[in-house]
Amino acid sequence: LDDNAGSPVSFRVWPNPFYANVALLARGADEVVIYNVLGGRVATYSLRPDGGTQVVHTGDLRKGVYYFSIRRGAAVLGTRRLVRQ
């Protein structure tokens, strides 16, 4: 992906589907926001400024389908589906 300024953005989330923890690797982004299927925000996580991998504990999410958006400031850089088992 490229953001509006042309800077490359890459991100990866695994495993998917997941149980309690998700690993995030995001370069060029500063937060990930998780939404339920109705579009309600359920969690927001700050990302490492160096773009390295971090593990996020998501045990408070119920089983089901979610969507996550990778953001830089107010700009949404990409959105993908995430499944909690």
Side-chain angles (χ1 to χ4, degrees), residues 22-58:
V22 173
L24 301 169
L25 174 63
R27 293 186 177 96
D30 55 22
E31 74 176 4
V32 61
V33 181
I34 299 177
Y35 300 92
N36 62 25
V37 293
L38 300 176
R41 183 184 292 214
V42 295
T44 301
Y45 301 98
S46 295
L47 297 173
R48 292 174 49 154
D50 65 0
T53 301
Q54 67 188 72
V55 176
V56 174
H57 179 69
T58 56

